[in-house]
Amino acid sequence: MKEFFTQFFTWWNGQTLGTRFFTWRKGQFVGEDEFGNRYYRYTQAQAIDSNVGAERRWVVYNGYADASKVPPGWRAWLCHNGDVPPSEEGYTPHPWEKPYVPNLTGTAQAYRPQGSSLSVGQRPAATGDYVPWTPGE
């Protein structure tokens, strides 16, 4: 019952009831990534948007809906940058690719550069090289 109310009243926890119903009726399961996100597609008879074509693609997040949890290969497939999903092409990440790091914006662990009003410590003094613009000069 809790899952029903969560899907009914929130959009950020997995999927809504409308998405669940559409996925159940018309979605074709394509694959799942290492985070448990599930990817679907639906091919229509005619294209609604000529840029995208007749195929619609979407992701059902495992837990909290965070777009930064979508790996690069799946992101490219969702954006129609490739026709073959990573589950069918045997994609292996390159050694230079970094592992997933959650988006920390808005948290205490967010990056705050030196001089930011939110960073700790003393703000550095102005260097005096700034000259304000005055209209008419």
Side-chain angles (χ1 to χ4, degrees):
M1 195 64 164
K2 179 184 175 187
E3 183 179 338
F4 170 77
F5 284 114
T6 301
Q7 289 179 1
F8 191 76
F9 291 110
T10 63
W11 57 265
W12 55 87
N13 291 315
Q15 60 183 332
T16 62
L17 286 176
T19 305
R20 178 181 289 271
F21 183 69
F22 185 80
T23 302
W24 171 72
R25 284 200 62 221
K26 303 201 176 192
Q28 175 191 2
F29 179 72
V30 176
E32 187 171 335
D33 65 14
E34 62 266 21
F35 304 114
N37 300 327
R38 298 172 58 89
Y39 299 89
Y40 295 90
R41 79 170 105 199
Y42 167 62
T43 305
Q44 302 173 15
Q46 61 186 22
I48 294 174
D49 183 1
S50 61
N51 294 324
V52 178
E55 186 173 87
R56 298 287 177 228
R57 300 171 180 176
W58 67 96
V59 58
V60 174
Y61 294 101
N62 180 21
Y64 187 74
D66 182 7
S68 68
K69 280 197 315 190
V70 176
W74 283 108
R75 169 70 65 199
W77 180 79
L78 284 171
C79 295
H80 294 269
N81 290 336
D83 292 331
V84 180
S87 61
E88 295 175 7
E89 70 178 5
Y91 173 78
T92 56
H94 299 284
W96 46 264
E97 290 183 40
K98 293 184 176 182
Y100 166 73
V101 177
N103 185 353
L104 300 174
T105 303
T107 67
Q109 293 84 25
Y111 173 69
R112 294 182 172 95
Q114 182 182 4
S116 168
S117 59
L118 297 175
S119 67
V120 294
Q122 189 75 11
R123 185 181 169 119
T127 59
D129 61 349
Y130 173 73
V131 179
W133 174 78
T134 307
E137 286 185 10

